[in-house]
């Protein structure tokens, strides 16, 4: 069982959350020319890192906010959590 | 190579079975090979076997970080089927079914292929319609499919919950009678033994730490046991695909996720077939030892852990008990997990890459085991001929950018959502 520290609600069990994938993926800016390769990278291609991985979760059975979680994909250790709009240094 | 036969069994009985040949050798890596296959799982071993058998390429090495057959070929639920709707998946898998039927004879190794049939249960009229459509597509591709009504299903699996007041009543099901199971370890060992006998070097405890690429062409690999030159390199590493892709500066339409399975204590024969729950993701069969073999959803978040988490197991088994209430009385014997290379449309990739001499075999999601022979056969063809076979032409790497997805489940790009 993972325990995720929701930045809005505090420590909760993983059963309250749903997963949203890699949080480092950025949607291409729409006010400029976007190549097929850029769309490809945004929609399909993923690094799927082994080790520290910044990812989106939604506190679906809690505050319903999207949050960012920094988690180790090999040990499942959770290092830090952020609000969705927080910049991660 | 010593043939496995009743005569050799009797002959060796006289020496207390102390004089059998080793099934495969433990060679030190040579300096150079024509083809290096990275990954000594089912797919890698099958690829090496078909390279030698079908294409006479025997200067081949299989490089395995751990021991052969220690990854997903040793961790799956042994289901073999070709009940797909899309042509690419159906024709590819049905080609594999033919190889499965001949495999024990072909490899001189009993893989215990047991075509006991698979039943996908339907729990609504809409699902029955969808199954009728899939069954028709299967039959058009020469695959056997039978649409069963509620009474017919009840005759085959009377232990399922057929009461009227359940949340997901059984409306019927789609059956592929020729589907089944096989002894998973025997598949890896059978391919390894034959490949070894034809001259393939099976090199275990050898980790790939880098690639030697120059001018867009592969020249070899760097391993924990030294550098190995190779004209061609094939990647067959399932859940480790992303790790090796990173060393090649490639980003692939693959995410690595964890899938669990479990077996109960052994009980007397109760279930003849493979049965899947249609209102969620749960499947069950009974092993020859009597254990109920069960599996279902991914853990749901990127993972390389090779061990599972309880919430998903609880969720999966809740579905199982809804389908077959007697399962709740059984004790759990073992649970385990493996890491899946989840592709973004749920279908695999067997293709060349932008690097000359580098070939890719990945994206097997939930269905890698049953694809073992067809994957090895087509990947060997792709490597030997330097072009894809028509059977794996659809499994191209660039289908994601061209839009030719093979989205059997209609899940789109989030394959962890089920």
């Amino acid at each position: 069982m993972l325990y995720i520290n929701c930045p809005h609600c505090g420590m909760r069990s993983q059963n309250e959350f749903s997963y949203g994938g890699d949080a480092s993926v950025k949607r291409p800016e729409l006010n400029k020319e976007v190549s097929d390769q850029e769309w490809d990278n945004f929609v399909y291609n993923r690094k799927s890192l082994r080790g520290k991985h910044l990812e989106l979760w939604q506190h679906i059975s809690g505050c319903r906010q999207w949050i960012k979680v920094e988690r180790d994909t090999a040990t499942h250790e959770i290092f830090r959590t952020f609000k969705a709009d927080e910049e991660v240094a | 190579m010593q043939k496995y036969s009743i005569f050799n069994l009797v002959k060796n009985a006289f020496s207390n079975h102390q004089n059998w040949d080793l099934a495969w050798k433990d060679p030190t890596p040579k300096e150079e090979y024509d083809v290096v296959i990275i990954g000594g799982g089912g797919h890698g071993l099958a690829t090496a076997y078909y390279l030698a058998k079908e294409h006479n390429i025997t200067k081949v090495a299989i490089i395995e970080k751990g021991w052969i057959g220690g990854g997903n070929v040793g961790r799956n639920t042994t289901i073999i089927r070709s009940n797909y709707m899309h042509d690419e998946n159906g024709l590819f898998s049905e080609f594999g079914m033919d190889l499965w039927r001949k495999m024990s004879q072909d490899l001189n190794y009993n893989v215990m292929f047991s075509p006991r049939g698979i039943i996908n249960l339907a729990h609504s009229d809409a699902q029955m319609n969808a199954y009728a459509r899939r069954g028709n597509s299967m039959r058009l591709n020469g695959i056997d499919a039978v649409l069963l009504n509620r009474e017919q299903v009840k005759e085959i699996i009377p232990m399922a919950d057929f009461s009227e007041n359940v949340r997901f009543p059984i409306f019927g099901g789609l059956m592929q009678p020729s589907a089944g199971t096989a002894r998973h370890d025997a598949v890896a060992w059978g391919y390894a033994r034959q490949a070894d006998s034809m001259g393939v070097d099976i090199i275990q405890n050898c980790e790939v730490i880098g690639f030697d690429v120059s001018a867009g062409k592969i020249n070899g690999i760097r391993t924990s046991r030294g550098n190995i030159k190779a004209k061609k390199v094939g990647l067959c590493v399932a859940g480790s695909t992303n790790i090796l892709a990173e060393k090649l500066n490639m980003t692939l339409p693959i995410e690595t996720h964890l899938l669990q399975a479990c077996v109960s204590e052994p009980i007397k024969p109760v279930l003849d077939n493979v049965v899947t729950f249609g209102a969620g993701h749960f499947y069950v069969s009974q092993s020859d030892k009597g254990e109920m073999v069960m599996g279902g959803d991914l853990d749901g978040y990127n993972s390389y852990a090779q061990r599972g988490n309880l919430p998903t197991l609880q969720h999966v088994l809740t579905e199982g008990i809804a389908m077959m209430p007697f399962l709740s009385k059984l004790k759990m014997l073992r649970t385990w997990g493996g890491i899946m290379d989840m592709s973004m449309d749920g279908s695999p990739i067997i293709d060349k890459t932008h690097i000359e001499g580098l070939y890719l075999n990945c994206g097997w999601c939930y269905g890698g085991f049953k694809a073992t022979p067809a994957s090895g056969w087509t990947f060997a063809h792709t490597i030997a001929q330097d072009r894809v076979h028509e059977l794996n032409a659809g499994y191209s790497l660039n289908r994601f950018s061209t839009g030719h997805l093979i989205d059997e489940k209609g899940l789109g790009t989030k394959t962890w959502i089920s």
Side-chain angles (χ1 to χ4, degrees):
Chain A
M1 175 80 78
L2 301 181
Y3 287 95
I4 299 171
N5 189 11
C6 173
H8 307 281
C9 314
M11 196 66 88
R12 299 296 177 93
S13 95
Q14 87 181 69
N15 291 336
E16 295 187 11
F17 294 84
S18 76
Y19 185 64
D22 189 339
S24 68
V25 176
K26 288 265 188 306
R27 197 181 204 280
E29 299 288 335
L30 284 182
N31 52 7
K32 68 175 184 70
E33 188 74 19
V34 181
S35 69
D36 288 353
Q37 186 60 51
E38 283 173 280
W39 278 121
D40 225 20
N41 288 340
F42 167 62
V43 181
Y44 298 115
N45 292 333
R46 296 290 179 271
K47 288 205 170 75
S48 194
L49 301 173
R50 187 182 197 279
K52 269 190 189 177
H53 188 242
L54 190 68
E55 53 203 18
L56 291 168
W57 289 76
Q58 189 185 12
H59 196 180
I60 192 112
S61 304
C63 60
R64 301 189 66 78
Q65 294 294 311
W66 283 93
I67 61 168
K68 291 181 196 164
V69 175
E70 188 184 54
R71 183 181 62 92
D72 191 305
T73 56
T75 65
H76 297 331
E77 182 180 357
I78 291 172
F79 304 100
R80 296 182 293 175
T81 55
F82 308 88
K83 291 175 182 167
D85 57 356
E86 247 178 289
E87 281 302 318
V88 179
Chain B
M1 187 187 66
Q2 219 170 4
K3 198 169 157 48
Y4 290 163
S5 67
I6 184 77
F7 304 108
N8 268 327
L9 191 67
V10 171
K11 195 179 123 196
N12 278 280
F14 289 110
S15 53
N16 287 326
H17 299 289
Q18 298 298 304
N19 297 326
W20 285 100
D21 290 351
L22 285 178
W24 51 86
K25 297 178 282 292
D26 183 21
T28 44
K30 295 193 188 87
E31 201 170 298
E32 186 174 358
Y33 290 94
D34 288 340
V35 179
V36 164
I37 304 293
I38 302 172
H43 291 222
L45 293 162
T47 303
Y49 168 72
Y50 291 112
L51 275 173
K53 183 179 176 238
E54 304 286 340
H55 306 280
N56 272 325
I57 300 175
T58 56
K59 223 181 145 191
V60 176
I62 293 169
I63 306 295
E64 166 58 45
K65 180 182 171 187
W67 63 95
I68 57 165
N72 295 341
V73 73
R75 294 163 190 260
N76 57 77
T77 46
T78 78
I79 297 164
I80 293 161
R81 57 187 177 85
S82 59
N83 54 356
Y84 288 101
M85 186 173 78
H86 289 298
D87 289 349
E88 293 90 342
N89 292 332
L91 294 171
F92 178 88
S93 304
E94 187 57 16
F95 176 79
M97 292 302 292
D98 277 337
L99 295 175
W100 279 112
R101 287 186 270 266
K102 296 184 289 198
M103 189 180 288
S104 289
Q105 299 300 324
D106 193 24
L107 298 180
N108 179 228
Y109 206 108
N110 186 3
V111 300
M112 296 163 74
F113 175 56
S114 162
R116 57 183 69 185
I118 185 168
I119 302 170
N120 302 134
L121 294 180
H123 307 276
S124 67
D125 284 328
Q127 203 165 15
M128 282 299 282
N129 289 341
Y131 282 179
R133 181 184 178 218
R134 175 148 63 93
N136 285 332
S137 301
M138 287 164 63
R139 292 173 75 123
L140 286 171
N141 282 332
I143 304 163
D144 56 328
V146 185
L147 195 65
L148 305 170
N149 63 30
R150 181 178 161 92
E151 290 311 310
Q152 289 166 312
V153 173
K154 195 172 178 177
E155 240 167 68
I156 304 171
I157 48 166
M159 78 298 281
D161 194 346
F162 284 93
S163 44
E164 300 288 340
N165 58 348
V166 288
R167 173 67 183 85
F168 300 109
I170 295 169
F171 275 57
L174 182 66
M175 183 173 192
Q176 185 192 4
S178 69
T181 59
R183 170 93 180 101
H184 53 169
D185 294 321
V187 175
W189 298 335
Y191 275 123
R193 175 167 161 270
Q194 286 292 342
D196 174 87
S197 78
M198 287 188 285
V200 172
D201 280 357
I202 298 173
I203 299 162
Q204 306 181 70
N205 299 311
C206 181
E207 183 179 358
V208 172
I209 47 184
F211 294 87
D212 180 10
V213 179
S214 62
K217 191 179 176 318
I218 194 111
N219 301 313
I221 58 170
R222 294 193 295 277
T223 78
S224 57
R225 293 174 68 177
N227 294 350
I228 300 171
K229 285 188 210 148
K231 295 188 185 78
K232 293 176 176 180
V233 174
L235 254 58
C236 274
V237 292
S240 301
T241 301
N242 290 103
I243 298 173
L244 288 187
E246 195 188 357
K247 297 181 198 298
L248 287 156
N249 291 323
M250 289 168 77
T251 314
L252 296 172
I254 302 274
E255 271 189 15
T256 301
H257 284 259
L258 189 121
L259 182 61
Q260 296 191 68
C262 59
V263 294
S264 74
E265 58 183 328
I267 53 172
K268 287 189 175 178
V270 58
L271 179 62
D272 298 330
N273 320 90
V274 182
V275 181
T276 73
F277 183 56
H281 197 177
F282 172 83
Y283 45 86
V284 61
S285 64
Q286 189 170 20
S287 76
D288 294 336
K289 287 182 284 185
E291 303 151 335
M292 305 304 288
V293 186
M294 299 170 280
D297 279 322
L298 297 171
D299 269 19
Y301 40 87
N302 291 44
S303 175
Y304 286 91
Q306 282 193 312
R307 62 179 186 281
N309 219 333
L310 275 176
T312 302
L313 201 59
Q314 188 175 30
H315 170 73
V316 166
L317 292 174
T318 304
E319 295 174 26
I321 290 165
M323 182 174 93
M324 291 184 180
F326 82 96
L327 293 173
S328 71
K329 305 293 180 198
L330 301 182
K331 293 188 179 69
M332 187 77 78
L333 193 65
R334 284 196 306 280
T335 79
W336 66 92
I339 48 174
M340 307 294 118
D341 36 336
M342 301 300 295
S343 71
M344 291 288 167
D345 61 356
S347 298
I349 296 162
I350 308 177
D351 202 359
K352 300 162 67 169
T353 64
H354 70 285
I355 299 169
E356 195 187 329
L358 183 78
Y359 305 85
L360 193 61
N361 179 333
C362 61
W364 290 100
C365 302
Y366 303 91
F369 176 69
K370 60 136 198 301
T372 305
S375 162
W377 195 94
T378 53
F379 197 41
H381 181 279
T382 305
I383 293 171
Q385 312 278 331
D386 193 38
R387 60 185 167 83
V388 295
H389 189 269
E390 61 178 22
L391 283 170
N392 64 316
Y395 293 158
S396 64
L397 178 55
N398 73 358
R399 70 175 183 269
F400 298 92
S401 47
T402 61
H404 294 86
L405 302 186
I406 310 169
D407 195 354
E408 187 78 28
K409 286 190 182 167
L411 291 178
T413 59
K414 305 283 187 289
T415 46
W416 68 80
I417 296 175
S418 54

